[in-house]
Amino acid sequence: MSGASTGTRVPFLDLRAVHVELREELAAAALRVLDSDRVLLGPELAAFEQEWARFTGAGHAVGVGNGLDALTLGLRALGVGPGDEVLVPSHTFVATWLAVVHAGGTPVSVDVSPLTGAWEADAVQAAVTARTRAMVPVHLYGHPVDLDPLLDVAARHGLAVLDDAAQAHGATYRGRPLGGLTSATAWSFYPGKNLGALGDGGAVTTSDDDVAQRLRSLRNYGSAEKYVHTEIGWNSRLDELQAALLSVKLRRLDEHNARRAALAARYTERLAGSALVLPTTVERATAVWHLYVVRTPHRAALRDHLGAHGVETLVHYPVPPHRQPAFAGTPVAAASLPGADTLAREVLSLPMGPHLTEEQQDTVIDAIESFRP
Ligand SMILES: *Cc1c(COP(=O)(O)O)cnc(C)c1O
């Protein structure tokens, strides 16, 4: 093994540091809920929904139980149901695909480019059939998808666009925040996301009044009026406690995203001479660096080497959705998706988060520089 470990341990993400930084404010918010008699569908949710709608530039935000439900209810609210095909990228977290199935539709995978990892409009266009009802672009790793060409395809074929922004809180495209640029946008507030709760949470933003109203019904047993159920709904609500905590954390989101961007720039500058393929950014967009993902054909060896130097890394994601046992026997399992397979073999996520110090980052960079495949 080359190079002695400095003893600096570098965790992939230091969630505890966020909790330490915001301890007093989070505790005050939690106590406010504890001292109230409202724990669901109360003033904290209403306040957070308003803040989140304003932050994303959307007309409405509807809080739900988690990101998977945000995608599922979002698709249902946009009219996706049995018999409908929904275009999804081949390289994403499995939840993007699961949501289509839970909404009653059929996921149709469109491969990403093996070179850039991008979801290209030409390939999306080629996958449209008479049964296609919607598409779900995913702003993976915090990088906004180039939406305009996809919105053109959608407009040509009358498709709804639900973008999955579970990793892209605060990202912008052509100077505007994600969240109000499509039919609807799905968000996750899973603890490790750029904006994370202290448990599960999610939201859908939209500027369509009818879609927002439908979402409010779908998350609450398909009911807008107590004991009147106009459709088959879910129980999926963002609770008062999580909403109150999220309002506190939202005040720090821009600052935390700026810190991530500075660390990403530093990785990119210092690793420019390495053999790794570094992340590229989309023109006209601002990424929020949920993850800093490099690519290498020597991933296993590099991970071992970094681990021996105290550096924790993760793989997002080692098995693409079409190779998951859950999809075995479905048409999509037989699809040829070389882009997804290549990425699954080569991607490696380096430590990233608002509390990663430059000293810790130096440990990561030094360890990469001492790696010999
Ligand atoms: C986290 C995530 C989800 C699911 O969100 P949960 O809140 O964990 O259900 C969906 N899509 C993407 C891209 C994600 O990263």
Side-chain angles (χ1 to χ4, degrees):
M1 195 184 315
S2 54
S5 170
T6 60
T8 312
R9 215 187 70 77
V10 186
F12 183 75
L13 171 68
D14 191 352
L15 267 187
R16 222 182 69 85
V18 183
H19 300 161
V20 169
E21 179 196 340
L22 301 176
R23 190 168 201 286
E24 302 302 320
E25 290 166 77
L26 291 171
L31 284 175
R32 205 166 59 232
V33 176
L34 182 66
D35 291 339
S36 80
D37 62 352
R38 295 294 296 274
V39 291
L40 284 166
L41 300 179
E44 300 290 348
L45 177 62
F48 174 71
E49 285 181 338
Q50 224 174 50
E51 292 159 13
W52 190 237
R54 195 178 318 125
F55 186 87
T56 58
H60 308 269
V62 180
V64 297
N66 54 66
L68 174 57
D69 286 358
L71 288 161
T72 305
L73 274 58
L75 288 169
R76 288 293 298 142
L78 293 173
V80 170
D84 291 335
E85 292 179 356
V86 178
L87 307 179
V88 292
S90 60
H91 180 64
T92 181
F93 181 55
V94 71
T96 314
W97 288 41
L98 295 178
V100 177
V101 178
H102 287 306
T106 304
V108 172
S109 186
V110 179
D111 204 14
V112 297
S113 155
L115 295 176
T116 61
W119 210 41
E120 288 165 350
D122 289 351
V124 173
Q125 162 78 52
V128 174
T129 72
R131 284 186 302 279
T132 310
R133 181 69 182 257
M135 66 168 78
V136 188
V138 182
H139 310 289
L140 204 65
Y141 307 152
H143 293 279
V145 168
D146 191 7
L147 282 175
D148 281 350
L150 294 175
L151 290 170
D152 286 347
V153 173
R156 263 201 302 283
H157 298 279
L159 310 181
V161 180
L162 175 77
D163 50 332
D164 180 342
Q167 303 189 358
H169 315 73
T172 67
Y173 177 70
R174 306 190 70 173
R176 294 170 64 198
L178 300 184
L181 307 179
T182 57
S183 315
T185 303
W187 305 91
S188 163
F189 304 122
Y190 175 80
K193 304 289 160 94
N194 289 39
L195 179 62
L198 273 79
D200 280 315
V204 184
T205 51
T206 180
S207 291
D208 184 320
D209 297 346
D210 294 336
V211 171
Q213 196 178 5
R214 181 109 194 262
L215 284 163
R216 290 185 195 285
S217 162
L218 285 172
R219 74 173 170 184
N220 195 39
Y221 313 106
S223 165
E225 186 188 335
K226 198 160 193 182
Y227 301 130
V228 179
H229 302 277
T230 52
E231 61 187 327
I232 302 296
W234 278 259
N235 170 11
S236 182
R237 302 169 301 208
L238 182 65
D239 64 66
E240 288 287 284
L241 184 58
Q242 298 306 334
L245 298 169
L246 283 164
S247 287
V248 170
K249 295 183 80 177
L250 176 54
R251 287 183 229 131
R252 295 301 214 294
L253 178 58
D254 283 337
E255 180 189 324
H256 284 174
N257 280 342
R259 176 76 193 143
R260 288 173 183 271
L263 288 162
R266 206 160 172 268
Y267 268 138
T268 297
E269 188 190 321
R270 300 270 308 273
L271 295 174
S274 76
L276 301 177
V277 177
L278 304 182
T280 51
T281 53
V282 174
E283 232 180 291
R284 305 183 298 175
T286 313
V288 289
W289 301 98
H290 174 60
L291 298 170
Y292 191 91
V293 179
V294 299
R295 288 171 58 188
T296 168
H298 309 290
R299 180 175 70 197
L302 179 58
R303 275 199 95 182
D304 287 349
H305 176 81
L306 291 173
H309 285 74
V311 175
E312 185 187 6
T313 57
L314 294 176
V315 173
H316 301 92
Y317 299 90
V319 180
H322 72 285
R323 300 209 179 268
Q324 294 292 347
F327 288 101
T330 71
V332 90
S336 167
L337 301 166
D341 286 331
T342 302
L343 291 170
R345 267 195 313 272
E346 297 189 350
V347 290
L348 181 67
S349 305
L350 303 181
M352 172 53 80
H355 295 83
L356 184 72
T357 65
E358 290 192 357
E359 188 200 359
Q360 289 175 320
Q361 192 181 31
D362 287 341
T363 301
V364 181
I365 292 164
D366 292 347
I368 290 172
E369 281 171 349
S370 68
F371 175 64
R372 299 286 173 271

